[in-house]
Amino acid sequence: MKKFAMAATGGILMGAIVTTQIAGPLIAQEADNNASVYEQLDLFGDIFERIRAQYVEDIDEAALIEAAIDGMLSSLDPHSSYLSPDDAADMRETTRGEFGGLGIEVTQEEGYVKVVSPIDGTPAAEAGIESGDFITRVDGENMLGLTLDEAVDLMRGPVGSEIIITVVREGFDQPFDVSIIRDTITLTAVRSRVEGDTVVLRVVTFSDQTYPSLEEQLAEQVAEAGGIENVNGFVIDLRNNPGGLLNQAIAVSDAFLDAGEITSTRGRDPNDGQRWNAREGDLAEGLPIVVLINGGSASASEIVAGALQDHRRAVVIGTNSFGKGSVQTVMPLRGESAMRLTTARYYTPSGRSIQSLGISPDIIVEQPRRDPNAEVVDEEEDAGFTRSEADLRGALDNDSLTDDEIEQIQADRLRAEDAAALRVEDYQMAYAIDILKGLQVLGANNDN
């Protein structure tokens, strides 16, 4: 018994010694790290005092501190930043769906401003700005070396004023200038129309208006088509959609899924992870869906495309998406300011992160790029001249069809011609509609 007690005591002592040997250096290291942090903060204070006392001109001390805070946040990643009271107010306006500017979502790459996407119906989109364009100058002033916030401030101005931006575009040897008139940007979250038998839902942005607008317009277009039985499918157009609110991306995905995971987020602490699942109910009532994406489809757009793709609920067509797979949390600060901080990565239902990779379409379809210097061609002169049997003098009539059958054939032909004409205006959209038409034909054959 005494031997056991001694052995036990020896074990406890040995444990105490080992624990001390391991924990001691860790505590010392943490103390060293804290000392280093405080030394760096002291260094910051010294530099601030020297600038205030010895800089060649008087400085705005508040602006200097704001710049230091912004520099600290922007050094983390391209999406973390400090929002001054004015910037925070602008952001709140954007999520409500109205703000002033050119109408482009931008990021920074290699020191220059890169267009993530132009927003439909805005001055930038109408001027021909495209996803992937680099803006190198504004009114002749070089953008290299400016922070993203400084570059954005340079592009802002009074509504109705002109701005000249210099654009570098892939595939073009020389930069070119584009004149844009600034305007108040009022975002229509969702636009819709019927193309033949297909309902097209163009989701422009993910603001707090997006899901209610999508639900309302889908119902309106189905009614216009004469009911769901007259619709062959839906195209969800997410091209050049820069993203927006996470909860709206989840709601739009849920609108077309009956069950299963939509997306999940994982932060630094595993316990902070979240997951969102679909609830029963499909606005499309099981009809085929095609999702259109391109390099301007980012963030919330990629959540929707990834969810519908992973669940095999939609065919994704277009080109690779932007690849923004991180979540930013806007945290209010004193004085009406705020900071935007990257707090998590999000994942598609299959568990893949698309950060820096993007969503790969099931079918790659390139959209022909516009040449800003190209001359407008007269379509009538360029159409050419074709003849058919029916044009020949004395051609026999087709007496095997009734008048109703002939009328139906002619109506089908007109719809096909309209679809073909769409390829000139929007090749990717025409391709998506053709896919749905093909699925409808295959479904009809299977029914027979």
Side-chain angles (χ1 to χ4, degrees), residues 228-274:
I228 197 72
E229 63 276 5
N230 295 318
V231 175
N232 67 0
F234 296 83
V235 174
I236 303 174
D237 186 358
L238 298 176
R239 292 174 298 174
N240 295 329
N241 183 320
L245 300 178
L246 175 62
N247 67 334
Q248 292 295 305
I250 292 166
V252 170
S253 303
D254 193 5
F256 303 102
L257 293 171
D258 275 322
E261 182 179 312
I262 294 172
T263 188
S264 61
T265 61
R266 303 174 204 169
R268 185 166 66 182
D269 184 347
N271 295 323
D272 292 337
Q274 289 183 281

Side-chain angles (χ1 to χ4, degrees), residues 64-113:
L64 190 63
I65 292 173
E66 279 192 2
I69 294 170
D70 188 44
M72 176 172 57
L73 287 165
S74 60
S75 70
L76 299 173
D77 64 79
H79 308 293
S80 295
S81 63
Y82 171 73
L83 301 172
S84 67
D86 289 342
D87 291 339
D90 288 344
M91 184 208 65
R92 287 190 290 270
E93 287 180 3
T94 301
T95 57
R96 286 196 299 266
E98 183 172 312
F99 58 97
L102 305 181
I104 50 175
E105 178 80 7
V106 295
T107 186
Q108 198 161 37
E109 189 173 303
E110 298 178 359
Y112 288 109
V113 173

